[in-house]
Amino acid sequence: MKVVFNDLSEMTIQDFRFVEGRLNIKTLTEPEELRKTFSEVTKTRKMKIVYDDESELEIDGYTEMYSLEEYTGKIYGINMYKPAETPEAKEEALADVVKLAKLQAKKLDDVTALELPNLFDEWDSTKHYIVGDRRTFNGVLYKCIQDHDAQPNWNPLDAHSLWAKVLGGQDGTIGEWEQPNASNTYSKGDRVTHNGKTWESMVDNNGWEPGGQGVYETIWKEVK
């Protein structure tokens, strides 16, 4: 078996295979010659595997020499990738996707944001925050309610005047009701679901449970 390079030069090989996106070629050729040969992009841009029975397989685009391995019996393996498919290239591409997703996450409504908390950065005591910024802290998503420069003791869990836990139903969407604290009560017009029903808040600063004892339609009104 041999590999015929783009410049028609040849190399005898023992085996080849595709493994998790890389091309692995095994040969008895010495490492220095292997490195030199497979580092030449013009040679590896197009390669042809010729089997012992003279059948052929065309291989295109594996021009990135990635690593060299040594096996028993002085057999060496060369690992080749397409440039955009190396582990590092894939990590960079994934990082770009995550960065884009985080940028787009700023436009998400609260209900969707609660379903995708990993798109939001962890709270950082060295950052400046503005109203509407959403950050996670101890696995919980919070929203900034007052512009401020963060300090170590002003974390979202403790600084109720600066941060409010994100609750669905407070930004025009309909979310599951959750008992709010003083910093994130429901406002007039907010809609939530609770006990299988949908409710609309009729007042601001609403911390009552929809349908709870002593709660009248002047506080929560069931939406038909």
Side-chain angles (χ1 to χ4, degrees):
M1 185 184 300
K2 64 183 179 181
V3 55
V4 180
F5 297 98
N6 192 46
D7 62 358
L8 301 183
S9 60
E10 301 178 358
M11 178 182 291
T12 299
I13 63 175
Q14 270 55 52
D15 189 22
F16 86 98
R17 64 187 62 193
F18 295 97
V19 184
E20 297 180 348
R22 74 179 186 272
L23 170 63
N24 175 263
I25 295 177
K26 293 182 174 66
T27 177
L28 294 173
T29 303
E30 290 296 319
E32 288 188 9
E33 183 179 347
L34 271 181
R35 289 192 182 94
K36 179 180 178 181
T37 299
F38 284 93
S39 293
E40 297 181 24
V41 175
T42 55
K43 290 176 73 75
T44 59
R45 187 173 71 249
K46 287 188 176 183
M47 294 181 284
K48 182 190 299 181
I49 302 296
V50 181
Y51 297 91
D52 293 337
D53 63 1
E54 301 301 323
S55 60
E56 300 178 352
L57 174 67
E58 298 280 351
I59 299 176
D60 292 341
Y62 286 83
T63 58
E64 186 77 21
M65 189 191 72
Y66 191 76
S67 63
L68 184 68
E69 300 172 343
E70 183 175 355
Y71 310 104
T72 57
K74 290 189 177 181
I75 296 176
Y76 301 95
I78 193 80
N79 290 305
M80 304 292 292
Y81 280 94
K82 293 182 178 180
E85 296 180 1
T86 65
E88 290 79 7
K90 288 185 176 180
E91 285 182 7
E92 291 179 6
L94 179 59
D96 289 341
V97 170
V98 172
K99 183 177 180 180
L100 178 60
K102 286 187 174 183
L103 289 173
Q104 295 175 333
K106 296 178 181 179
K107 301 178 181 179
L108 294 178
D109 59 71
D110 285 345
V111 171
T112 305
L114 286 168
E115 295 176 352
L116 301 167
N118 291 331
L119 291 181
F120 299 89
D121 292 333
E122 282 279 340
W123 174 79
D124 187 334
S125 63
T126 66
K127 302 294 185 180
H128 175 77
Y129 294 106
I130 62 174
V131 172
D133 283 345
R134 288 176 290 199
R135 295 293 184 271
T136 57
F137 185 73
N138 290 345
V140 178
L141 187 63
Y142 293 87
K143 182 184 291 184
C144 179
I145 57 176
Q146 182 178 320
D147 293 0
H148 66 282
D149 291 316
Q151 296 186 22
N153 60 337
W154 288 358
N155 67 72
L157 180 61
D158 297 327
H160 295 163
S161 64
L162 302 175
W163 295 94
K165 184 179 178 181
V166 174
L167 302 180
Q170 294 185 332
D171 64 345
T173 56
I174 299 177
E176 180 69 24
W177 179 82
E178 183 177 337
Q179 182 64 59
N181 57 35
S183 66
N184 63 347
T185 53
Y186 292 93
S187 300
K188 184 177 181 179
D190 287 346
R191 291 190 172 191
V192 299
T193 56
H194 185 55
N195 290 335
K197 298 180 180 180
T198 300
W199 305 85
E200 180 177 333
S201 176
M202 306 306 293
V203 296
D204 290 329
N205 301 315
N206 187 352
W208 294 86
E209 178 185 359
Q213 187 175 3
V215 177
Y216 305 99
E217 283 198 350
T218 54
I219 299 176
W220 287 103
K221 180 180 179 180
E222 184 181 348
V223 179
K224 304 297 183 180

